[in-house]
Amino acid sequence: MWILPAVQAAALPPPGLSVAVTDLMSRITACYALPLSQRVNAASDSTAVTGGPADVKAPVCRSLFVGDDPGSYFQSGSKVGRDTSNNGAFAGLFRPGATGVIFDLGKLRYYRPNGDLAITYRTLDTAGNVATDVLVVRDVGGVVKLIGNQLAYSASVRAAIQVRDFVNSPAANYVNVGYDVAVANVLGANGLTIFSKVVVTSPDNKTYTLVPTAGNSSLRFVLPNGVVTGTSIIRLAAEYLDTSIPGNPAAKDAGLVYVSPQFTDAQLGAIDNQGVWKLEFFHVDSSKANVVQTYRTISNAPTIAQARRLPLPELTTAMRAKLIADTANSTRYTFGAPSASNPNVINFSVSGQDAWTVPSGAVAPITLTAFGATATVNNVAGVNFDDQLGVSTSARQGQISCSTATVQDLHCDTSTGVPQYAAGDYYNYLQLSARNADQMESFKGIPLYKIVP
């Protein structure tokens, strides 16, 4: 089983650490309370700017970082700053919309091998949106400061629960649990991936392989038969929601990654919250040395019984009816000819009304994703793609636009001057994603295709 060594007394947090972590949250909040032009080099308080560590100028902001230097912070390949695509660590420092964000609920989760601390925290913006994440910090003489994980590539491993809600074959609805191994694809100057593969080693010493694809922004698992899947989740167990239905969904819903044999609830319940995963990055340029990064989970995969009790977002009655009416025969949405005046986008709403609800006790989604493929041409299967939209926790609908993942990704059309989905592109799966304070991910999947249990 996935058991960690016993905790040694020397590894216990020193007295006063919780107070120091709370103080860090207060200091970050004080930084973000400043107007934009006081936080960073900006001409006004109303327009986002680009910049780097040297552009952070407020002492209350600079002193958040080790050495009072934002340049010391490095997190998953990113330095403090913001580019034109809003990429960068603490990019909110450079955006007026982040002014007034509150940071709180800082909590020590574990020590990293070098003595740095991994803490979880929550943010609350002025619109009421809530998010949770992990920070790596360093205790500097009793003052906790930001340092980042100092890792080269962006990746994470989190416990995951998923419910698949088959609108066109509801008897097949099922729940599964496991771990999401999310690895962002990294492109070189030529617009192509720098990775050949990433080998994942789980805490029980089993290995899995992730590979980049032309149309996905993150890597996908490969099945033992060489087929590239559309998933980054290792599933440990699954059951139909209707307990009267025999069999296992894994046998029916192809293209996913399951352990074999699957875990029982007793085995799932015995998994420790914190397990260490190893990711080894192999490069297209074979002369470049492999990079090994390790990740420790904060929560374990829940049991199926626990997953069944967890409330998740639900489709509104109107949205469900629309999906069924539109796809009952085709089990997908297929785009027609591009149009500048009426571009091909994915509008997940019903005449501008809500598409989903968030029941009491459920965590509100932060991402809406569509999965699809380009058209089959001359009997050559299309290339898979996914596009996603970050949504506020108060949102209940969203519109996804086409975006390319690599230079080889051709599912977006630009012939009209308006980027949009190309003719023949289709999508047959939608997903709402959320994450709780313990960093467990919950996915409400909405397959438009059918399976027969």
Side-chain angles (χ1 to χ4, degrees), residues 235-253:
R235 292 166 170 83
L236 305 184
E239 285 183 3
Y240 290 111
L241 291 182
D242 184 346
T243 56
S244 69
I245 297 177
N248 192 285
K252 299 291 185 176
D253 202 6

Side-chain angles (χ1 to χ4, degrees), residues 314-380:
E314 296 287 349
L315 292 173
T316 62
T317 300
M319 190 70 236
R320 184 178 298 275
K322 175 175 170 51
L323 291 174
I324 293 172
D326 290 349
T327 67
N329 295 322
S330 63
T331 64
R332 64 176 59 172
Y333 279 96
T334 302
F335 292 101
S339 167
S341 59
N342 187 24
N344 291 333
V345 297
I346 299 173
N347 188 355
F348 196 47
S349 69
V350 185
S351 301
Q353 301 302 307
D354 290 351
W356 67 86
T357 63
V358 180
S360 176
V363 180
I366 55 175
T367 307
L368 169 65
T369 308
F371 296 79
T374 57
T376 297
V377 179
N378 297 327
N379 295 320
V380 177

Side-chain angles (χ1 to χ4, degrees), residues 19 44 50 60-61 70 76 112 124 129 190-191 199 228 260 286 292 297 304 316 324 343 362 403 413 418-419 426 437:
V19 175
S44 74
T50 59
V60 68
C61 298
S76 300
R112 304 186 76 233
L124 177 67
N129 295 305
N190 58 2
V199 175
V228 179
S260 182
S286 59
V292 175
T297 56
I304 291 292
T316 62
I324 293 172
S403 60
D413 181 275
V418 180
Y426 70 86

Side-chain angles (χ1 to χ4, degrees), residues 312-313 363-367 432-436 440-444:
L312 296 178
V363 180
I366 55 175
T367 307
L432 292 164
S433 308
R435 186 167 66 239
N436 69 11
M440 186 180 76
E441 295 180 326
S442 55
F443 301 105
K444 183 58 175 285

Side-chain angles (χ1 to χ4, degrees), residues 249-274:
K252 299 291 185 176
D253 202 6
L256 303 179
V257 177
Y258 279 94
V259 299
S260 182
Q262 292 185 25
F263 281 47
T264 65
D265 261 15
Q267 291 171 322
L268 289 167
I271 296 175
D272 195 274
N273 282 339
Q274 296 188 6

Side-chain angles (χ1 to χ4, degrees), residues 98-428:
T99 302
V101 170
I102 294 172
F103 289 71
D104 65 5
L105 301 186
K107 181 178 181 180
L108 172 65
R109 296 296 185 158
Y110 60 85
Y111 280 93
R112 304 186 76 233
N114 67 350
D116 288 343
L117 300 75
I119 64 173
T120 53
Y121 68 101
R122 181 183 70 171
T123 58
L124 177 67
D125 70 16
T126 55
N129 295 305
V130 178
T132 65
D133 212 331
V134 179
L135 282 172
V136 176
V137 300
R138 182 170 294 174
D139 185 348
V140 182
V143 179
V144 174
K145 299 210 171 193
L146 303 169
I147 188 63
N149 59 24
Q150 302 294 310
L151 298 178
Y153 300 128
S154 176
S156 64
V157 183
R158 296 186 177 101
I161 167 181
Q162 182 188 60
V163 170
R164 292 202 159 198
D165 182 355
F166 290 83
V167 294
N168 289 313
S169 53
N173 292 352
Y174 70 90
V175 58
N176 62 80
V177 298
Y179 290 88
D180 182 23
V181 186
V183 177
N185 198 5
V186 177
L187 306 183
N190 58 2
L192 300 175
T193 182
I194 67 169
F195 301 134
S196 60
K197 64 180 179 179
V198 174
V199 175
V200 178
T201 304
S202 64
D204 57 350
N205 211 36
K206 292 182 179 178
T207 59
Y208 307 84
T209 301
L210 288 160
V211 295
T213 65
N216 298 113
S217 58
S218 57
L219 276 60
R220 297 292 184 256
F221 280 115
V222 179
L223 295 175
N225 62 6
V227 173
V228 179
T229 72
T231 188
S232 60
I233 300 175
I234 299 171
R235 292 166 170 83
L236 305 184
E239 285 183 3
Y240 290 111
L241 291 182
D242 184 346
T243 56
S244 69
I245 297 177
N248 192 285
K252 299 291 185 176
D253 202 6
L256 303 179
V257 177
Y258 279 94
V259 299
S260 182
Q262 292 185 25
F263 281 47
T264 65
D265 261 15
Q267 291 171 322
L268 289 167
I271 296 175
D272 195 274
N273 282 339
Q274 296 188 6
V276 178
W277 296 68
K278 183 179 79 170
L279 276 62
E280 185 171 4
F281 296 78
F282 292 74
H283 303 93
V284 172
D285 179 358
S286 59
S287 67
K288 186 172 183 179
N290 295 351
V291 172
V292 175
Q293 299 181 177
T294 58
Y295 297 85
R296 185 184 293 263
T297 56
I298 289 174
S299 60
N300 64 329
T303 65
I304 291 292
Q306 290 170 331
R308 286 181 177 276
R309 295 193 295 269
L310 185 69
L312 296 178
E314 296 287 349
L315 292 173
T316 62
T317 300
M319 190 70 236
R320 184 178 298 275
K322 175 175 170 51
L323 291 174
I324 293 172
D326 290 349
T327 67
N329 295 322
S330 63
T331 64
R332 64 176 59 172
Y333 279 96
T334 302
F335 292 101
S339 167
S341 59
N342 187 24
N344 291 333
V345 297
I346 299 173
N347 188 355
F348 196 47
S349 69
V350 185
S351 301
Q353 301 302 307
D354 290 351
W356 67 86
T357 63
V358 180
S360 176
V363 180
I366 55 175
T367 307
L368 169 65
T369 308
F371 296 79
T374 57
T376 297
V377 179
N378 297 327
N379 295 320
V380 177
V383 176
N384 291 338
F385 66 80
D386 66 77
D387 288 314
Q388 65 177 230
L389 172 72
V391 296
S392 69
T393 52
S394 59
R396 299 296 180 265
Q397 58 180 277
Q399 180 173 289
I400 302 175
S401 299
C402 189
S403 60
T404 57
T406 71
V407 295
Q408 296 173 318
D409 181 5
L410 305 177
H411 80 283
C412 298
D413 181 275
T414 58
S415 62
T416 66
V418 180
Q420 58 190 289
Y421 290 95
D425 287 354
Y426 70 86
Y427 63 97
N428 62 359

